[in-house]
Amino acid sequence: MKEMRGKGAEETVNERYTQWKSLVPVLYDWLANHNLVWPSLSCRWGPQLEQATYKNRQRLYLSEQTDGSVPNTLVIANCEVVKPRVAAAEHISQFNEEARSPFVKKYKTIIHPGEVNRIRELPQNSKIVATHTDSPDVLIWDIEAQPNRHAVLGASNSRPDLLLTGHQDYAEFALAMCHSEPFVLSGGKDKSVILWSIHDHISSLASDPGSARSPGSGGANAKHASKTGGSNDKPTDSPSVEPRGIYQGHGDTVEDVQFCPTSAQEFCSVGDDSCLILWDTRAGSSPVVKVEKAHDADLHCVDWNPNDVNLILTGSADNTVRMFDRRNLTSGQVGSPIYTFEGHNAAVLCVQWSPDKSSVFGSSAEDGVLNIWDHEKIGKKQDSVGSKPSNAPPGLFFRHAGHRDKIVDFHWNASDPWTIVSVSDDCGSTGGGGTLQIWRMIDLIYRPEEEVLAELDTFKSHLMTCQA
């Protein structure tokens, strides 16, 4: 029975994918499909490097989670992002699933001490990224100063430019960077949320990359670490920084953290204790608000709306996304969401607000689907002109079904707001590796309805003359 169920599910995924691929020319303005030899657990846009007539060049951060036959790596790639309304419809659907995309090119490889579970970029300095691995420490890398390495078996690990210490157990996933200050936030299995300032170190890295990685550099509040953590790590003399604050209030592993977009003192966290907690450094190290039962299961992810700071999203193992208003988070300590979004049939792994439109967000899950929602559409009468099928969940207006296994991460592009990078771990379905996709839905889907109808009206006479 188990085998039959598995086979049935596989056929369903393949049928869904086949149908999706046939619709690519209609639904997408651009799509790049990039086959990964090894899965990547995180994907992030970096700075825009160059603007041209038909496409822009931009940094992309990925990882390679290997089986040990070669080292784990942090990959810095250069990506060519085709501008809106440039790609031909028939061209974007003609990709080979087994091939690497010509739009994605490796720029630099860093041999990472352990798996790269999470990558985050520092808004104040585009050269600096932080990574989480299976260790208590947060690793800070100066992308430009790090040497390019060849990932072969036996190669020594690259040395982080800085270590952030303080966790008493593994800190694998919860990681965030502050929008306004060079602050780093992390959570881990020790049930703690930890805050660091890397202000002094960013100054030294930026002014003299060489000295920042030599023994003896590191500033007044730093010490030298003896190891980076994990079983395959070798001693390093990377300078390290101790916490600015340690915040305890969770009863289980902290799975995700996020800064308030308008404040370096306020942040939130979620964990396997089903809690959403809001913190404020000015109020001490205890929770400001603790939502005891934000979901009916573990919470995997959280995001704070950059365009409306009252709205917070959470994603959970109960397959749902919930939207909370921080002015009214609880009802008798139990979570009181404004709305629960039900559009996945497996655990939600990642949620993120659009950088462009305050009511739009995305959610990805273990079901291999990335949903795009607009909460302002909830409760509004839907137009019958193909806006969505009647059985679609309220608020859902686009479903990206290009992955055939769990989508572990995605990231909106702030430089090109409707362009998204998403990555799936394909070990469960296609036998290994991963799939990276960079895509942009056609603008007729998200632009104001009156605008779209007016544009289509200009083509009406032409369409009337077309053969069926």
Side-chain angles (χ1 to χ4, degrees):
M1 279 294 288
K2 198 179 285 183
E3 281 177 13
M4 285 174 68
R5 277 204 300 270
K7 192 176 180 186
E10 188 181 316
E11 284 171 0
T12 307
V13 169
N14 287 334
E15 286 166 7
R16 183 185 74 193
Y17 178 78
T18 303
Q19 183 186 24
W20 168 82
K21 200 170 179 186
S22 71
L23 293 171
V24 165
V26 181
L27 297 177
Y28 293 82
D29 179 68
W30 182 55
L31 172 80
N33 188 89
H34 187 68
N35 177 260
L36 300 169
V37 176
W38 302 107
S40 177
L41 294 183
S42 196
C43 59
R44 299 291 288 185
W45 289 108
Q48 200 170 70
L49 304 171
E50 185 185 345
Q51 293 190 340
T53 309
Y54 298 112
K55 55 191 176 185
N56 300 324
R57 203 155 54 91
Q58 192 165 350
R59 278 276 195 270
L60 191 60
Y61 304 123
L62 303 166
S63 65
E64 291 178 320
Q65 183 191 8
T66 71
D67 61 0
S69 59
V70 291
N72 290 287
T73 63
L74 170 63
V75 176
I76 298 94
N78 288 340
C79 178
E80 291 181 337
V81 180
V82 175
K83 289 188 173 181
R85 298 202 168 197
V86 169
E90 58 274 12
H91 172 73
I92 61 171
S93 59
Q94 292 170 355
F95 62 84
N96 175 6
E97 281 82 358
E98 310 307 317
R100 300 198 151 204
S101 170
F103 295 102
V104 181
K105 293 184 174 66
K106 262 189 196 181
Y107 164 72
K108 187 177 280 190
T109 299
I110 291 170
I111 298 181
H112 199 270
E115 297 175 354
V116 182
N117 296 330
R118 195 62 58 94
I119 306 166
R120 290 292 180 265
E121 65 291 341
L122 187 68
Q124 298 84 31
N125 188 325
S126 59
K127 299 188 301 184
I128 307 298
V129 301
T131 57
H132 255 325
T133 184
D134 295 343
S135 112
D137 302 332
V138 180
L139 282 54
I140 304 292
W141 307 90
D142 183 333
I143 294 303
E144 297 305 322
Q146 282 287 334
N148 188 20
R149 302 288 303 282
H150 188 46
V152 293
L153 186 63
S156 60
N157 293 328
S158 297
R159 192 170 63 175
D161 292 276
L162 196 60
L163 293 178
L164 308 185
T165 62
H167 278 295
Q168 302 304 306
D169 201 343
Y170 284 5
E172 296 170 306
F173 294 105
L175 184 63
M177 300 287 220
C178 179
H179 299 265
S180 55
E181 298 282 345
F183 293 168
V184 181
L185 197 61
S186 166
K189 289 187 174 180
D190 57 4
K191 308 170 190 174
S192 301
V193 175
I194 299 187
L195 175 70
W196 295 268
S197 169
I198 54 173
H199 193 276
D200 298 339
H201 292 274
I202 295 309
S203 307
S204 66
L205 292 178
S207 59
D208 188 358
S211 71
R213 288 215 305 283
S214 65
S217 68
N221 65 335
K223 62 179 183 178
H224 291 288
S226 59
K227 62 184 182 62
T228 56
S231 57
N232 61 344
D233 302 325
K234 298 179 180 178
T236 176
D237 54 1
S238 300
S240 70
V241 174
E242 293 180 351
R244 174 173 278 212
I246 298 177
Y247 303 88
Q248 291 174 326
H250 281 284
D252 207 335
T253 301
V254 180
E255 292 285 358
D256 201 10
V257 288
Q258 193 59 254
F259 279 97
C260 173
T262 57
S263 168
Q265 285 79 39
E266 297 172 77
F267 43 89
C268 63
S269 58
V270 296
D272 290 344
D273 55 0
S274 302
C275 291
L276 162 66
I277 298 181
L278 268 60
W279 312 85
D280 191 325
T281 59
R282 296 162 295 193
S285 58
S286 298
V288 174
V289 182
K290 184 172 183 177
V291 183
E292 291 281 2
K293 202 170 168 47
H295 280 259
D296 298 325
D298 298 0
L299 272 72
H300 289 154
C301 46
V302 64
D303 197 28
W304 206 317
N305 194 325
N307 299 302
D308 183 346
V309 292
N310 289 317
L311 298 182
I312 296 172
L313 288 174
T314 55
S316 167
D318 66 8
N319 306 355
T320 70
V321 176
R322 290 187 173 181
M323 182 170 68
F324 289 90
D325 186 324
R326 70 164 171 172
R327 296 164 297 188
N328 184 26
L329 287 164
T330 62
S331 174
Q333 291 297 97
V334 175
S336 181
I338 303 171
Y339 199 79
T340 298
F341 299 87
E342 299 177 339
H344 292 286
N345 56 29
V348 178
L349 300 178
C350 186
V351 290
Q352 198 197 0
W353 291 101
S354 160
D356 185 57
K357 195 167 187 295
S358 63
S359 61
V360 171
F361 66 90
S363 63
S364 67
E366 289 184 355
D367 58 8
V369 172
L370 200 165
N371 286 329
I372 306 294
W373 309 80
D374 185 342
H375 71 78
E376 286 185 348
K377 292 185 184 296
I378 295 170
K380 291 186 178 176
K381 184 175 178 294
Q382 294 293 333
D383 197 299
S384 59
V385 189
S387 55
K388 69 166 193 175
S390 58
N391 61 346
L396 179 66
F397 75 96
F398 192 82
R399 176 166 278 184
H400 178 66
H403 293 278
R404 287 170 289 173
D405 211 326
K406 57 179 180 287
I407 301 176
V408 288
D409 201 11
F410 73 94
H411 193 202
W412 296 85
N413 189 339
S415 303
D416 188 354
W418 285 91
T419 301
I420 292 173
V421 59
S422 51
V423 67
S424 57
D425 178 345
D426 297 345
C427 289
S429 57
T430 58
T435 302
L436 175 84
Q437 290 183 337
I438 304 156
W439 51 276
R440 183 194 305 118
M441 70 179 82
I442 198 162
D443 62 14
L444 299 176
I445 294 172
Y446 61 80
R447 280 168 49 210
E449 190 177 331
E450 318 76 59
E451 234 181 73
V452 171
L453 291 174
E455 182 178 330
L456 292 175
D457 203 48
T458 62
F459 294 103
K460 194 196 298 186
S461 57
H462 169 70
L463 291 170
M464 297 293 279
T465 61
C466 288
Q467 295 295 315

